Amino acid sequence: MQNGRHLIWDSHLDLAWNAIDWNRDLRLPVAEIRKQEREQGAEGKGRCVNTVSFADLRRGNVAIFIATLLARQLRSGPGLVAVNRYASMEAAYAAGYGQLAYYRAMEQQGHVRWIKDWPSLSAHLDAWQSGGDTSREPLGFILSMEGADPILSPARVQEWYDAGLRIIGPAHYGPSPYARGHNMEGGLYEQGPALLREMERVGIILDVTHLSDQCFYESLDIYGGPVLASHHNCRALVPDPRQLTDDQIKRLIARGAVIGTALDAWMLYPGWVRGETTPEKAGVRLEAMVDHIDHICQLSGNARHAAIGTDLDGGFGREQSPMDLDTIADLQRLPELLLRRGYDEKAVEGIMFGNWVRFFREAWQKR
Ligand SMILES: [Zn+2]
C-alpha cells in the first residue's frame, strides 16, 4: 500500500503500437485523446473510447508494466486481419525498432524508466515504495515482444536482448515465423525450437500467451528458462482456444509462472460476440476478472500465481471492457473486490503487484 492505494503491475500493454499505429499521444490524459479522436472524426473499433495513457496509469498507481513491441508479418491464415501487418520480416524488424525508439524517447523525457535487470527493478520499487511524493517518478516498464516476427533468425535474439528486450511471446493471432497462434492447430515451425533454445541461452523470458495448444506444450518441453503468461484467462470459465485450460494452468504453476489476467470483455464473459455484445447488455463488471483470478488461485492452492495483465489498449476500448471501468485508473477498484471475495491483504498485494516482483527477482537473480 502507498498513500492508501495499492501499487499495481500490469503485465500487458501495447503502448508503442498505440502511439505509432493508432497515432495517440500517450502523454495526454485519456479524456483528451478521446476528444481529439472525436474532433478528427476517427472511426472504427476502439476509437474515441481508449482507456490508457501515462497520466491515467499514474492516477491508477500502475507503477510498472510489461510493454510490447507488436509488429507482425502479413501471412495468410485464419483470423488474420491485414492491418498493421508487414509484407516481410525485414519490415516487421524495422517496425519493431521504430516502436523501441518510442519507448526510448519517452524514457529520455522522464515519462518511463526502462527496467532490464534486478538492480534496476529493485531501485524502481524503492522509489515507488519510499512513501514520498511519486508524482514525478517515472513509470517502469519491461520490454516484451508479442509475435517474434521482428526476429530475423534465432541467431538475432542476442541483438534484441542487447537492445533491451527481455520477454518474447513467439506467436500472436495466426502464423508467426516460429510458432502458430492460438487460433490455429499444430506445433512449432521449423525454426521455433532454435528460437526457444537461443532465448534460454541469452536470458529472455518465454511468454506463452497466444501460442496454439500444441505450441504451448512443445515450448515448455524445449525451453527450460522462466515462463510467464502475460495476458491470459481461463478456458474453464470462458471456452475458447485463446484461454488457458486447467491442465495448462497447472503446468504453468509447476514452472513457477505468473499469469496476468486480462480485461478484454470477450475473454471474461462466455458467449460474447465481438462488435455485438456490449458490457452493459452482458453486465460484465470488473468482478468477472476476480472469477478468473480465483480460478487460478483455486488450482494453485495459493494466491502466488495470479496477477493483472489487462491488455486494455490491445485494439479495443470501453466498448469491450468491463462497464465499471472508464480508464485504467479504475484498476484501483480491484483490491476491494478481492478482499470481499475473501482474499487477505497479503494475497491482494501479491495479485496486484507482488507476484510479478517475486517472479522477476527469481528469474533475474538466477542469472
Ligand atoms: Zn495479445
Side-chain angles (χ1 to χ4, degrees), residues 237 268-269 284-293 322 341:
L237 303 185
L268 294 168
Y269 178 81
V284 176
R285 296 176 171 274
L286 282 165
E287 187 82 38
M289 185 188 234
V290 179
D291 296 338
H292 288 263
I293 290 169
R341 193 66 74 94

Side-chain angles (χ1 to χ4, degrees), residues 182-253:
H182 62 267
N183 53 341
M184 297 180 75
E185 300 276 342
L188 297 168
Y189 291 112
E190 195 184 343
Q191 291 293 304
L195 179 86
L196 289 161
R197 279 192 279 270
E198 187 63 1
M199 284 166 56
E200 182 176 346
R201 188 190 72 77
V202 168
I204 291 211
I205 293 164
L206 169 64
D207 183 355
V208 298
T209 293
H210 288 299
L211 289 174
S212 74
D213 284 346
Q214 193 178 327
C215 285
F216 174 95
Y217 288 107
E218 289 179 6
S219 297
L220 288 193
D221 286 345
I222 293 164
Y223 177 87
V227 179
L228 60 79
S230 61
H231 54 306
H232 232 145
N233 291 348
C234 306
R235 208 178 295 185
L237 303 185
V238 180
D240 190 280
R242 171 71 179 81
Q243 316 264 63
L244 291 165
T245 65
D246 285 359
D247 184 67
Q248 288 173 331
I249 293 169
K250 287 177 193 161
R251 284 287 298 268
L252 289 172
I253 292 165

